[in-house]
Amino acid sequence: MSERLRIEQVIVVEGRYDASALAPLVDALILTTDGFAIYKDKQTQALLKELGRKRGIILLTDSDAAGFRIRTFLTNLIGESYVKQAYVPAIHGKEARKSQPGKEGLLGVEGISADLLRKALLDAGASQQTPRQGRSIAYVDLYQWGFSGTAGSQEKRFALLKKLGLPNRLSKKALLDVLNQLYTYEEIEALAKDS
């Protein structure tokens, strides 16, 4: 297996199976649109705009009409200058987990080979990420700062997320990924002390 690509930009895919197919190939923050749910999810929209400005976005959607509608919506939302477009080829077939192929009979991102996914990202101009300086934020830090696992932690975490302009429904893993992509340990520690 090839070495994982360390990608600076945030990679946005349609669903969790796409993210699962991509995760072993890249060392990057991968977020999902949950399909067309992105149209109504104002918090995730705000997060993607913020991440676009700070890190840049790589859109990697399916090659069917639905994928292109989502791609167009997000490019307009985030701003074309912050978005790189990664395209997978239109290959007929169906994913192993599905009983029938999709509406257009094309493989989605999850069904595309690792080599083609890597090529799509590199062809889109994915930037190799430089290692971040300083200490990473860990689960134990969220606990010590009172954002997880303690009385009142949910309210404190929601207040932090609101202050940072992040969606309050981020899982702990997604929260850690986003915090580590956008902020330093010291920045979040200072915010924790202020709250």
Side-chain angles (χ1 to χ4, degrees), residues 119-132:
K119 182 178 179 343
L121 292 170
L122 293 173
D123 287 351
S127 303
Q128 295 297 314
Q129 182 179 19
T130 55
R132 286 185 62 97

Side-chain angles (χ1 to χ4, degrees), residues 8 43 53 67 96 99 127 130 146 155 158-159 187 193:
E8 181 178 338
Q43 289 185 333
R53 284 192 297 276
S99 60
S127 303
T130 55
E155 293 81 13
F158 285 171
E187 288 171 327
K193 289 177 182 175

Side-chain angles (χ1 to χ4, degrees), residues 11 14 21 28 40-42 55 79 99 104 110 114 119-120 134 139 156 167 175 179 184 189 195:
I11 303 171
E14 291 179 58
K40 294 182 181 178
D41 188 342
K42 299 299 182 197
R55 299 296 293 252
S99 60
E104 295 179 33
E110 71 174 279
K119 182 178 179 343
Y139 287 115
K156 193 171 181 180
L175 173 61
L179 292 179
T184 64
E189 184 178 46
S195 55

Side-chain angles (χ1 to χ4, degrees), residues 18-175:
D18 299 332
S20 294
L22 206 53
L25 310 177
V26 297
D27 181 3
L29 178 59
I30 303 168
L31 297 177
T32 66
T33 67
D34 295 325
F36 290 131
I38 191 64
Y39 293 157
K40 294 182 181 178
D41 188 342
K42 299 299 182 197
Q43 289 185 333
T44 301
Q45 289 177 20
L47 174 62
L48 292 176
K49 283 198 250 187
E50 179 70 14
L51 289 169
R53 284 192 297 276
K54 291 198 173 193
R55 299 296 293 252
I57 300 286
I58 295 177
L59 291 179
L60 181 63
T61 61
D62 295 349
S63 56
D64 60 6
F68 274 83
R69 280 197 301 273
I70 292 168
R71 182 184 295 274
T72 300
F73 173 79
L74 289 176
T75 300
N76 292 333
L77 174 80
I78 298 163
E80 196 172 327
S81 61
Y82 301 112
V83 176
K84 294 182 182 287
Q85 306 288 342
Y87 296 99
V88 294
I91 300 172
H92 288 276
K94 74 169 190 66
E95 289 80 9
R97 72 177 177 85
K98 294 182 178 176
S99 60
Q100 295 182 5
K103 189 190 266 187
E104 295 179 33
L106 300 173
L107 289 176
V109 168
E110 71 174 279
I112 301 295
S113 73
D115 288 340
L116 287 176
L117 290 175
R118 256 190 218 92
K119 182 178 179 343
L121 292 170
L122 293 173
D123 287 351
S127 303
Q128 295 297 314
Q129 182 179 19
T130 55
R132 286 185 62 97
Q133 300 298 315
R135 182 184 180 296
S136 292
I137 301 165
Y139 287 115
V140 68
D141 299 320
L142 296 179
Y143 175 79
Q144 289 175 343
W145 293 328
F147 296 131
S148 177
T150 60
S153 63
Q154 183 177 29
E155 293 81 13
K156 193 171 181 180
R157 185 172 61 253
F158 285 171
L160 171 73
L161 293 170
K162 185 175 184 178
K163 189 180 286 188
L164 297 176
L166 298 173
N168 62 12
R169 64 183 186 91
L170 289 175
S171 68
K172 283 186 201 171
K173 181 186 180 329
L175 173 61

